[in-house]
Structure formats: C-alpha cells, structure tokens
Amino acid sequence: MKLKMAKNSLFAVLLRSPWWISMLLVAAFGIASAALLPTAYVPFGVMGALPFLVIGLIAAKRQWNVPSPTRVAETLAKVVAMPWRDFANALDTAYTAQGYTVTRLHGKAVDLALQKNGSTTLVACKRWKAANYGIDALRDVASAQELQNADRCIYIGLGNATDAARRFAQEQSIQLLSDTELAQLLK
C-alpha cells in the first residue's frame, strides 16, 4: 500500500530537498533540546528529531546514485548529438546491464520490449529529441501496451510533456523518462 502525502507538507518538501537539510534539522533539535530543556527531559526533546532523521535517511537513499546537474547536462549533450542507432544501442546496453532481455521492435509506437522476471515493459524512444510532446504519442504507446499485453510502458523524451500528456501518462501508468532519469540510466 502506497501512502499519499500532501505535496507541500513539510515532510514532502524535505524528501525533495537535499538529504543534509533534514540532518541539519536533527542537529538543531539536539542542540535546542540540550540548551533549553532540563537534563532529564533532553532525551525526549531529541526524540522529536526522529521523524526528521527518518526523512533524511530516506532522502539520502533516494539521492545516493542520482547524477549531479553537471553530469546530467554532459550526458544530455552527448545524447542529443547521437544518431538514432547509437541512442538505441546505448539504451540496449543500459537495460541489458540492469538484467533485462532487450528486443528491438520496429513498430510505430514502441521501439524496445524489455523482459525481466516474466514481466514485459515497452519503451518508446524514437522521438527522444522532440522539443515537446503531447498526448498523441502517449496514446499510441498505451494502445501498444494493450495490444501486446505489456505490464509497463516507458516514454523517453528530452523535451517537455504538455500538461495533458502528463495527466494522460499518469492515468495510463506510463512512466515519462527524461533528463535526470535518462542520465542515470545511461551512466
């Protein structure tokens, strides 16, 4: 069961922030507790920092392998300069390294089929250089998913998705992969 958190709650903001910010709050709680509370109550004051410690650890785990903005920019510059064949080969290599069996498809909507543990993921990436993409490309991907009875779909694009496309992707459970995620995949 996945819990939902308000987008702008303190904990949601801290999860999106660098991990060390939560750790600074933990340290601040400890210092404030030691300075302001009677000695017998300091442990209870420090326990108030526990949620921030947990959030900081979760954020650190999420951010551990995320490439730096400089690395993302370098990777994206290389990707933009690649012809389709080289880009497809790079994706093939990256997904194979993650344990997938990659099959190249030559359809209109999707370009790769990934197999792992009996699960099929379709990847659409032919229009990765498009400046913007909308709902039409994602409809084709959703149709291919239904037609091929795939478990998941990924759409790779360096451009921006329209708001309608983002909503459609969320409704259809299509993962939109761009910038940081792509740089992480192609590391």
Side-chain angles (χ1 to χ4, degrees):
M1 183 167 105
K2 189 173 181 178
L3 296 174
K4 289 199 173 200
M5 185 181 311
K7 185 178 180 179
N8 292 323
S9 72
L10 176 61
F11 294 124
V13 170
L14 287 173
L15 279 172
R16 292 189 305 266
S17 301
W19 63 271
W20 53 266
I21 292 175
S22 294
M23 295 307 171
L24 282 176
L25 288 171
V26 170
F29 259 87
I31 292 168
S33 295
L36 301 174
L37 296 175
T39 307
Y41 295 110
V42 169
F44 298 105
V46 171
M47 284 186 348
L50 187 59
F52 297 103
L53 177 65
V54 171
I55 293 294
L57 293 173
I58 291 169
K61 183 176 186 268
R62 287 181 179 176
Q63 296 167 13
W64 187 257
N65 289 323
V66 175
S68 69
T70 305
R71 178 79 174 130
V72 170
E74 289 171 358
T75 302
L76 294 180
K78 289 178 186 174
V79 166
V80 168
M82 287 181 181
W84 162 247
R85 183 170 291 144
D86 293 345
F87 181 64
N89 289 339
L91 289 175
D92 192 324
T93 301
Y95 282 121
T96 300
Q98 290 184 2
Y100 288 98
T101 302
V102 180
T103 305
R104 302 263 179 111
L105 303 174
H106 302 288
K108 174 187 169 201
V110 292
D111 306 297
L112 304 172
L114 312 176
Q115 299 282 330
K116 185 176 182 181
N117 300 329
S119 178
T120 302
T121 302
L122 299 178
V123 180
C125 53
K126 199 167 281 168
R127 294 185 267 185
W128 87 98
K129 288 185 185 182
N132 295 310
Y133 57 93
I135 200 167
D136 291 336
L138 297 178
R139 277 193 185 119
D140 293 342
V141 172
S143 295
Q145 179 180 14
E146 189 176 317
L147 192 66
Q148 296 186 29
N149 200 24
D151 301 298
R152 294 181 41 213
C153 284
I154 299 172
Y155 187 90
I156 298 176
L158 297 179
N160 296 319
T162 63
D163 290 338
R166 283 187 210 287
R167 282 191 302 276
F168 182 81
Q170 190 172 16
E171 290 167 6
Q172 298 297 316
S173 299
I174 298 172
Q175 181 184 354
L176 301 178
L177 196 79
S178 63
D179 298 357
T180 304
E181 298 93 355
L182 184 59
Q184 194 169 1
L185 175 65
L186 297 177
K187 63 184 171 188

